Amino acid sequence: MKKVFARPESLKLTPFHYCPGCGHSIIHRLVSEVIDELGIRERTVGVPPAGCAVLAYNYFDVDMAEAPHGRAAAVATGIKRVRPDLVAFSYQGDGDIAAIGTAETIHAANRGERITAIFVNNAVYGMTGGQMAPTTISGQVTTTTPLGRAPLRDGYPLDLSEMLGIAAGSVYIERTSVSSPKWINKTKKAIRKAFMVQLEDRGFSLVEILSPCPTNWKMTPVQSIRWVEETMMTIFPPKVIKDVA
Amino acid sequence: MLLKSVFSGFGGQGVLMMGYALAVAGMEEDKHVTYLPAYGAEVRGGTANCTVVVSDEEIASPIASSPEFVVAMNYPSMAKYQNMVKSGGIMFLNSDLITETLPRDDVKVVLVPANTLAHEMGNDRVLNMIMLGAMVRVTGIVSEESLSQAIETVLEGKKRSLVEINQKALAKGAEYIAAHN
Amino acid sequence: MSETKEKKKDKKLMRGSHVLGEAAIRAGCRAYFGYPITPQNELPEYMAEQFAQMPDAVFLQAESELASINMVMGASIAGARVMTSSSSPGISLKQEGISYIAGMELPAVIVNMMRGGPGLGNIAPAQGDYFQATKGGGHGDYRLIVLAPAYGQEIADMTRQAFDLADKYRNPVMILGDGMLGQMMEPVVFPDPIDPAQLPAKPWTLTGCKGRPSRIIRSLWLDVNREEELNWRLVRKYEAITAEVVDQEMYLAEDAELIIVAYGTAARIAKGGVQRARAMGIKVGLFRPKTLWPYPSEPLARLADQVDEIIVFEMSTGQMVEDVRLAVEGRCRVSFYGRPGGVVATPEEISRVISSTHHRAHPKKVAGGRASGGSRLTVVG
Amino acid sequence: MKGKIEIDQELCKGCGLCIQVCPKKQIEFSDALNKKGYYPASFKERDRKTTEKLECTGCALCAIQCPDVAIEVYREEKEQSTTAKKAAPTDE
């Protein structure tokens, strides 16, 4: 029999440190597969965030550079500006990209930086232990919203992708999910397209991926993918937010 | 020889250019020079001033708390610097705008009607170079030849067409001194 | 004859901030990221104007100092000779990135044209950021190489040196100046330009893993033993820098009974004060650290054996004076004279401080004046 | 048998998502702990009770959903070569 599904070349054979059922590692695999299929492994530089994916450089078998919390878009900008022949992507969680790094992200998008952002939205601060994130939905219980997020006190969940869609320099922005094989395949297509936008030198691209965090949501992995589809998707509907032809 | 000069006036009188031209001329003569413009909000509005030091030796402080020479293009400038001029120094006053007398007798005063002379030349804007020409004729900080040459550096590029009129203004200031002092 | 004329042509009267920019470009700098703040805007403006003519060069006005220092980080990761500049409050914002750059051992040149503070303060020349520059500044256990030019020519030379040191030691280098150094024009002769393509290759940069294993540039070491190892390795690097980089100017120090220590703009004022005091017959000299970190402690300690007292003059309430005391280790008295907040002292004022100090040390020799009011004169035994 | 899967028992963290998505219900939790202390998923070729042979189609849904890239999928070659990319029938 022929092997039809195996680990992509751009993903090291290092076991993931992520919790059981975590969406990060699925997304790592998808990004790696896209890098392999586009044949860009040897000219890609990745910039992971602070947060659970801070150790992403242990998994991707491409050149990887750390960034301070929230600053991945700026670091990727620096790399890409001085070496336009490289393919630069940032890999950022919701706290990283939509709270502390909002300014860097919006301005990178608005300048039309030729970088690709992978935005993992799991509605919670994972690595620090489950605090409220900018994308925590109203009513959601976190360690810093023990009675649930109350918008009039804690603010509303932030639609960062929609905001980035308004920026003139963004070319392609799509929100997807990794809650089922169907969505995972859609996500891979979106990631591929986002990298293509960069390869075609067209501008800023971003894929927001709704991703389960069973540990901090205090759910089983199976419950967590259901929560993504039944609850998160009502607040953050998957769709193509911007696609400049 | 170490001579410190302060140029002061209001924005638009070309005060900074006077100092810059003197500093360039000093450099062309292989002297040590510093040019220190006042920096701050006032540069863009009301008063402007700069300090130029020309020396045969390395210049320690570019600041002049008691300059040998002060050029005041309007009365507020005179008021500001009249007590700072070194005893035995010279104050150059734009007599078109300054009618007040200097309340000191240990400082020499040279009056130059810079606005009138510029107007006679048909270009009101060259009053600064008229004053500078007069000042250099009196002080001899640099040679008049170097100063005239410095104008070419100062007005490099887009302003090249203005070189000649500015050089003529320098000469006019020097001639005024020759005729009146 | 023609040779001297050629030389004259090379000499340019330029403001300090433009000198710095031109020297950076001649050092092979092809990337600049910054955010406007007075009094250093002439530097980014110069870079923007020059880079506009250079297709391979990158100028980017970022959305904040935070963003710009992280762009510097990225450009350095990708191998560029890169620079950013700011003034005191902006440098505070950059500290996060500077700490990362130090931890990731990346070369970068950071210019701080200090102004009066704390807080928003004012745009006048001051030296209140000495601690921030020399003691780390951001979080963690690190040092910047800190160069303090005082003359236009030195701005040109130190800028070249800054890029070379940054690359050599893979360490951020700060050039510490102020608005006066940035605005003042002095004649400068520039070193010949370097073609960035001719610079030695940096074998650690991230340029895509073609033909080699993939690399990681990081500062995160969750394993405490590895983090400790990194910290000690940095210390060994800092020791090597200290041994090789320390530099200072000594002026009329051979026979001095009294030494004034000052850096940057303050040192030029102090030099004027020394000249005046010498004319009054006081045997005073100037010690001017050209590197603030590493600090020239040893040569200063040797001077301390020779003199009765050291006066430290800073345009602050007293920061470098602590390093002087550490260097002197009680060999002589150390007193301090400061004018913070953007006040620029005059050489006359400094000569009065010198003469009153001298009078205290040698009451019979010379009758001196008094230090002007308003500032603090402290003496430490 | 059209396909089969291999689950790396040490990479698996026993999250159970593969069990959830397998259309043939051919994956179950193992009874034995792995070195990390998880009960990993394991592939069953026969029904436990009936011992009837089960028909894995090599659809790869389990591998697509697996967060730990612990599953490799094999399929009998029919026409031309199939790639991992084309493995999923639910792909739009």
Side-chain angles (χ1 to χ4, degrees), chain A residues 6 109 117 120 173-175 197:
Chain A
V120 180
I173 295 178
E174 181 166 355
R175 184 186 293 117
V197 165

Side-chain angles (χ1 to χ4, degrees), chain A residues 2 4-5 16 18 25 29 180, chain D residues 13 64-65 67 73 75 84:
Chain A
K2 186 182 166 59
V4 294
F5 190 102
F16 294 113
Y18 300 112
S25 35
R29 172 175 64 79
S180 72
Chain D
K13 297 189 189 120
I64 290 165
Q65 188 69 58
V73 183
R75 206 184 293 157

